[in-house]
Amino acid sequence: MPSGKLITIEGLDGAGKTTLAQGLIRELGARMKPGAPPPELLREPGGVELSERIRELVKDPAMRVGARAEALLYAAARAQLVEELLTPLLAAGTTVLLDRFVDSSLAYQGAARGLGIEAVRAINALATGGLTPDRTLLLRVSPGTGRERQSERGREPDRLEREGNDFFAAIASAYDELAGAEPRRIRTIDAEQASQAVLAAALAELEDLF
Ligand code: TMP
């Protein structure tokens, strides 16, 4: 049975994930074997209707959301994406580039919200049925750079972007720990560099998959 590769992109808000994803989808498309399905770009939370609606809820600054509910909402969005779209795409041999996945929940809800990495890992094992990325690209920027790039976007910050410096510092160090524990899967990229250099580094980290 053909199985496409699942590549996830992780990092702080403002790390440059969206820019990298757009560059990568173009480059990966050009590298696919003739006749192979084109790669798909998806984001979390989102990608299917239920998950896009959950996205609106979790981002709404007017919404009261406790830490446990937050972790479960992200996991619910993920469960639906996995079942409705991700699993069928991978089974059809499609390479999927996914902007955030379980590692975001481990860093944001597990570490920064204080729920504990292992508790959040457990609810996500249920949500994903154990689906694990073939490779994860961690875009590493300082929390200060992330904050600066976010404010350059010139739109109102969402519910999570309104959190303080301690929150983002906890996420950054959790990501570093996750990468240290799984160096084969998680490849750290210096995302303080210009976007072209980040794209080149990302492609180098994916070379052995194709
Ligand atoms: P983004 O698409 O702009 O990155 O927005 C998603 C926001 O949700 C971002 O602030 C990170 C946060 N998030 C979590 O806290 N946990 C998760 O599991 C995911 C996927 C995202």
Side-chain angles (χ1 to χ4, degrees):
M1 192 161 134
S3 181
K5 303 288 181 207
L6 175 59
I7 301 162
T8 61
I9 307 178
E10 293 284 352
L12 289 173
D13 297 87
K17 292 183 304 303
T18 308
T19 306
L20 173 64
Q22 286 162 354
L24 268 182
I25 202 81
R26 204 180 50 235
E27 294 293 329
L28 292 179
R31 282 168 171 74
M32 289 292 140
K33 294 200 183 94
E40 290 272 348
L41 173 58
L42 297 171
R43 68 171 179 188
E44 269 218 292
V48 292
E49 189 173 355
L50 177 64
S51 314
E52 289 290 340
R53 293 226 210 149
I54 291 174
R55 180 183 183 88
E56 285 168 24
L57 292 175
V58 289
K59 286 194 154 235
D60 183 352
M63 188 66 72
R64 271 176 67 179
V65 187
R68 285 186 174 80
E70 187 178 276
L72 291 164
L73 283 167
Y74 282 112
R78 184 163 296 131
Q80 189 64 27
L81 177 71
V82 167
E83 182 179 321
E84 191 179 328
L85 192 55
L86 206 44
T87 303
L89 279 173
L90 295 171
T94 305
T95 289
V96 179
L97 192 57
L98 183 50
D99 186 341
R100 297 191 181 280
F101 194 52
V102 174
D103 297 304
S104 280
S105 282
L106 301 181
Y108 281 71
Q109 283 68 51
R113 293 290 192 216
L115 292 176
I117 300 275
E118 291 317 315
V120 174
R121 206 190 287 281
I123 59 170
N124 278 281
L126 175 69
T128 64
L131 178 66
T132 305
D134 294 286
R135 183 99 352 122
T136 296
L137 303 169
L138 171 59
L139 297 194
R140 190 171 196 279
V141 288
S142 71
T145 301
R147 183 74 91 189
E148 246 168 61
R149 290 188 187 162
Q150 256 177 60
S151 57
E152 283 163 11
R153 288 176 192 161
R155 59 157 172 74
E156 283 297 300
D158 65 31
R159 194 177 57 83
L160 282 106
E161 288 164 350
R162 288 168 191 234
E163 290 293 335
N165 293 339
D166 290 354
F167 185 76
F168 292 102
I171 294 163
S173 64
Y175 270 136
D176 286 346
E177 276 179 38
L178 293 170
E182 281 186 77
R184 260 199 68 74
R185 173 174 71 87
I186 306 180
R187 306 292 171 87
T188 303
I189 293 170
D190 173 8
E192 301 275 346
Q193 309 175 82
S195 58
Q196 273 307 320
V198 173
L199 176 59
L203 285 167
E205 296 294 358
L206 299 177
E207 214 159 84
D208 61 309
L209 291 183
F210 296 101

